[in-house]
Amino acid sequence: MKTKLNVSKPKSFYIPIDRRRFFKSMAATTAGFTLAGSLAEALTTTPQQTQGPYYPLADDIPLDKDNDLVQLNDNLTPASGVLTYVSGRVLTSDGTPIRGALVELWHADVNGNYTYNAGTGRNPSADPNFAGFGQYLTGSSGGYKFRTIRAGLYPGRARHFHWGVTIPGQLSRFTTQTYWSGEAGNASDGVLNGISNSEQRASVILTFTPVPGSSTGEVQATWDIVMGLTPVDPSYPGGSLVIAGALVPGPAAANPRYRLTVPAYTNYTYEIYGNPTLADLAWQALPFSLTQTGAIDRNKHTATSNGTPSLFVEAKSVKGFYYVSFRVPGANTGTP
C-alpha cells in the first residue's frame, strides 16, 4: 500500500455490563451526526499509519465481530480492563457523511496481548473474554461507535488502537492508529511521531473523559475519521439486498431460523446485518450458517459461482428485513 497522508474519502475488572443499554445508547448518538459539508471545509484529513503486524488472521477474528469487543459471543464474563467507548463519524474532507464505510478496530488486551497468532487459532495468552477485533458498517449519518477496553501496553509502543476503514469504491482498507493524550510513551513512539503534519498528528491523539454517571471508571472519546478520497457506490448486478427472512425450523424447536435467499455472483463476498436497533446509525453484524440446521459458523460467505444460495440466521430482525452487504471481487473482506 502506498503511504499517503490523505485518507480515503467515502462501506476487567468485573462490572455488571448491560449490552442492551450499550446498543440503546447508539440511537442517542445519532442526533448529533448532521455536519453539513459547507461547515467543514477546513477538516483535517486523518493520517495514514501502518497496519502493524498484529491484524487478526481469519481464525483469530471472532464469530461475533460486532462493535462490542467487551462481550464475546455469549460469554457471561466480560473482558478485563477499563471500559472504553469511542464514537464519531466517517466523513469526506468537506464534512459529508460516508454511508457504507466498513470500520474495523483491533488492539491489545489489558495485558498487552493481541488475539493474533502466527500459528492456528487465536493467541492463547490473550484474555479469553476479549474479542480483540470489532467491525462496524456506517449508516446514512456516517456514525460509528465501539465499546471496548483501554488497550494494554507492550514494549516499544505507546498505548494505541488500530483502525481500518474501507469506503465504497475502494478495494483496500485505509489504516491508522489513535493514541491517549497525556501518555508519556507518546513522545517516543516512532509511528505517532512519523506523522510529519502537526495537525494530523494531533488529530489522532484522543482525550478520554469519564462517562457521566459511571461508578466503574468508564471513559469515552469522540473521533471523526476524515477521508480524502471520493466514495463510489458500486452497482450490484442483481437487485436489492434488503431481504425479508423466511421463518424455518432450525436444529431444535427452540432454535428456529430465518432463511435469506441471496442473488449471488462469483467471487462476491456477502455479510448479513440485521436489527437496526441503533436507530439509523448502523447495522449489527450477524453470524450465519449455509444450511438450515448446521452450525452457525461464519460471518461472511464468498460465492464460488453464480446462483441464489440461502443463508440462515437465528436472530430475528425486529424490522422484518435484513441488510445483506456485498463486497466486490478483490475488495477488503476483513482479512489481511
Side-chain angles (χ1 to χ4, degrees):
M1 177 183 295
K2 296 180 180 179
T3 301
K4 298 171 67 176
L5 287 182
N6 281 345
V7 183
S8 308
K9 167 188 176 184
K11 182 178 268 75
S12 147
F13 54 94
Y14 177 79
I15 54 178
I17 295 173
D18 184 342
R19 202 175 200 201
R20 187 174 303 169
R21 176 169 64 92
F22 164 59
F23 285 125
K24 282 184 177 179
S25 75
M26 304 291 292
T29 60
T30 306
F33 295 157
T34 56
L35 182 65
S38 60
L39 300 179
E41 295 176 357
L43 291 181
T44 299
T45 54
T46 300
Q48 184 170 6
Q49 300 170 79
T50 178
Q51 176 172 285
Y54 301 124
Y55 182 91
L57 300 176
D59 54 3
D60 305 328
I61 293 176
L63 184 63
D64 175 21
K65 63 170 185 176
D66 60 15
N67 55 326
D68 186 358
L69 283 68
V70 175
Q71 204 81 35
L72 179 59
N73 300 322
D74 294 325
N75 291 6
L76 298 179
T77 303
S80 298
V82 177
L83 198 62
T84 300
Y85 298 85
V86 182
S87 60
R89 300 158 294 178
V90 181
L91 305 170
T92 65
S93 57
D94 68 357
T96 302
I98 298 175
R99 181 183 186 133
L102 174 65
V103 183
E104 300 168 273
L105 168 65
W106 68 100
H107 62 87
D109 69 7
V110 67
N111 295 313
N113 297 308
Y114 284 81
T115 59
Y116 171 89
N117 188 9
T120 302
R122 60 181 274 151
N123 179 6
S125 298
D127 180 351
N129 298 307
F130 177 55
F133 175 91
Q135 176 177 309
Y136 205 86
L137 192 70
T138 62
S140 59
S141 69
Y144 72 89
K145 185 171 186 178
F146 285 90
R147 180 172 79 157
T148 186
I149 55 101
R150 185 172 182 251
L153 290 169
Y154 62 89
R157 289 300 315 276
R159 197 182 309 277
H160 62 283
F161 282 164
H162 295 264
W163 300 87
V165 183
T166 307
I167 62 173
Q170 301 299 307
L171 297 183
S172 59
R173 74 172 61 84
F174 174 92
T175 58
T176 192
Q177 300 180 30
T178 55
Y179 306 82
W180 269 252
S181 63
E183 291 269 333
N186 291 346
S188 59
D189 189 272
V191 179
L192 172 59
N193 291 286
I195 304 170
S196 59
N197 183 289
S198 60
E199 291 185 355
Q200 290 183 312
R201 187 167 60 251
S203 74
V204 293
I205 301 176
L206 309 186
T207 298
F208 289 84
T209 59
V211 173
S214 171
S215 61
T216 57
E218 299 174 16
V219 296
Q220 61 185 358
T222 301
W223 176 53
D224 287 345
I225 305 168
V226 182
M227 309 296 282
L229 299 177
T230 303
V232 178
D233 288 320
S235 59
Y236 188 67
S240 172
L241 290 181
V242 174
I243 300 172
L247 183 64
V248 296
N255 299 104
R257 292 184 175 174
Y258 295 87
R259 181 180 64 228
L260 284 66
T261 301
V262 179
Y265 295 84
T266 304
N267 293 329
Y268 278 69
T269 298
Y270 301 86
E271 295 175 323
I272 299 174
Y273 292 81
N275 293 344
T277 53
L278 320 181
D280 65 346
L281 192 58
W283 301 72
Q284 179 184 358
L286 298 176
F288 57 92
S289 173
L290 295 182
T291 63
Q292 186 170 328
T293 58
I296 301 291
D297 62 355
R298 67 195 63 222
N299 42 45
K300 62 184 176 182
H301 170 64
T302 300
T304 57
S305 61
N306 293 351
T308 52
S310 291
L311 312 177
F312 298 87
V313 298
E314 288 189 347
K316 180 181 180 181
S317 173
V318 297
K319 296 292 186 180
F321 59 86
Y322 300 84
Y323 174 63
V324 180
S325 169
F326 69 90
R327 309 207 180 281
V328 299
N332 169 38
T333 58
T335 55

